[in-house]
Amino acid sequence: MEIALLFVVFVAAVPVVLTLLAIFAPAEHAAWGRRVAHRLIPTNGPYRGKTEVELATQSEPRVVRAASILTALLGGMIVPGGLAALVGFFFLLVSLEKDSINSDTDRVLVWLAVSSFSGLAVSFRCLRLFNAMVSNADDAPKRMRSLATHSGIHNLLLVILYTWYAFSSSAETGIVAMGTYPLVSLIHVSLLLLAARAIDARREAHAEALELAEKQGVSLPPLLPHDVQVEEHQPIRIPIVSQ
């Protein structure tokens, strides 16, 4: 009995521990700071179109941080989700063998068992994506949008399934309450899309400033010097005049 209880606690603790690590682990300032943060600053001067380019270290955007924390939580759900999928799979086999799918509750459990494999794939992708997000990997936005599409379709179908079941005559409160999980996942989908857009916006500003500097013959370093002992570098402003 004690061993079984410890196992249940371990299973439940996995997503919690991963989430706490995502919240309290040192933010990836180094990874984001190594990319030059270019910001075009219009100035009032004697030259038409005068701007300054500001170079400064930067941490990840807040929406990326929020999305990464929720990604860690949903990624950690692969352990309890895997066990639930295993139980659901056996339930599906037994139900099909006995031809005992007679109620709406049985039907919704069968569909949940079938969908669990897609859910496990979503959790696995969350585990793999978390580090790419906070380390500003080159392909992170593309992977975030791909995961958002997969998870969005998967969880939207689950919401439809739970909604149908909630209005059925044999609806059970405990099963209906499980519908909160796909709702949280849809919030995660929205955060992934917003975070991907935020990363793209910073990269576009980066490329725009580099292009403008090149036209003006101003040499900008591709990377800022990084000192792990210093969280923030003083911004560097380089005047660029465009006639």
Side-chain angles (χ1 to χ4, degrees):
M1 182 64 180
E2 292 181 356
I3 295 178
L5 181 60
L6 287 175
F7 179 73
V8 171
V9 171
F10 168 77
V11 169
V14 171
V16 175
V17 170
L18 286 179
T19 305
L20 291 176
L21 287 175
I23 294 173
F24 296 108
E28 297 288 348
H29 289 142
W32 279 86
R34 291 178 192 276
R35 290 181 183 269
V36 179
H38 295 290
R39 187 163 64 93
L40 300 181
I41 307 172
T43 60
N44 296 321
Y47 299 100
R48 179 167 53 88
K50 180 180 178 182
T51 61
E52 287 183 337
V53 174
E54 183 183 62
L55 288 72
T57 55
Q58 59 182 341
S59 60
E60 63 274 11
R62 291 182 180 180
V63 68
V64 175
R65 187 68 174 160
S68 67
I69 291 172
L70 192 50
T71 299
L73 171 64
L74 297 179
M77 290 301 293
I78 194 171
V79 176
L83 292 175
L86 187 61
V87 172
F89 180 69
F90 281 115
F91 169 81
L92 176 60
L93 291 179
V94 171
S95 299
L96 292 176
E97 183 179 354
K98 294 182 177 181
D99 194 23
S100 58
I101 305 176
N102 301 316
S103 67
D104 289 340
T105 298
D106 291 336
R107 294 184 183 93
V108 78
L109 290 175
V110 167
W111 281 111
L112 289 176
V114 172
S115 69
S116 62
F117 300 102
S118 175
L120 288 176
V122 169
S123 293
F124 179 71
R125 295 183 68 181
C126 285
L127 279 178
R128 296 187 64 229
L129 181 60
F130 168 73
N131 186 64
M133 291 173 61
V134 295
S135 63
N136 202 9
D138 290 336
D139 63 345
K142 179 180 178 181
R143 291 170 61 185
M144 291 160 69
R145 290 189 174 95
S146 175
L147 174 58
T149 300
H150 179 184
S151 180
I153 294 173
H154 170 82
N155 287 288
L156 184 58
L157 291 175
L158 285 182
V159 168
I160 294 174
L161 176 65
Y162 279 113
T163 302
W164 165 80
Y165 178 68
F167 289 98
S168 69
S169 58
S170 60
E172 298 181 8
T173 304
I175 296 178
V176 173
M178 292 166 56
T180 56
Y181 185 84
L183 291 177
V184 171
S185 295
L186 289 178
I187 294 174
H188 177 241
V189 167
S190 300
L191 283 177
L192 282 176
L193 295 175
L194 291 174
R197 185 186 302 175
I199 294 175
D200 284 341
R202 287 202 176 182
R203 293 182 180 181
E204 289 172 5
H206 177 105
E208 181 183 357
L210 283 178
E211 181 181 0
L212 181 57
E214 183 179 357
K215 287 180 179 179
Q216 300 301 319
V218 178
S219 178
L220 299 181
L223 301 175
L224 274 180
H226 180 70
D227 182 357
V228 293
Q229 302 298 325
V230 181
E231 290 189 2
E232 297 288 341
H233 292 284
Q234 290 297 320
I236 304 170
R237 291 189 176 184
I238 300 177
I240 297 177
V241 179
S242 177
Q243 296 292 345

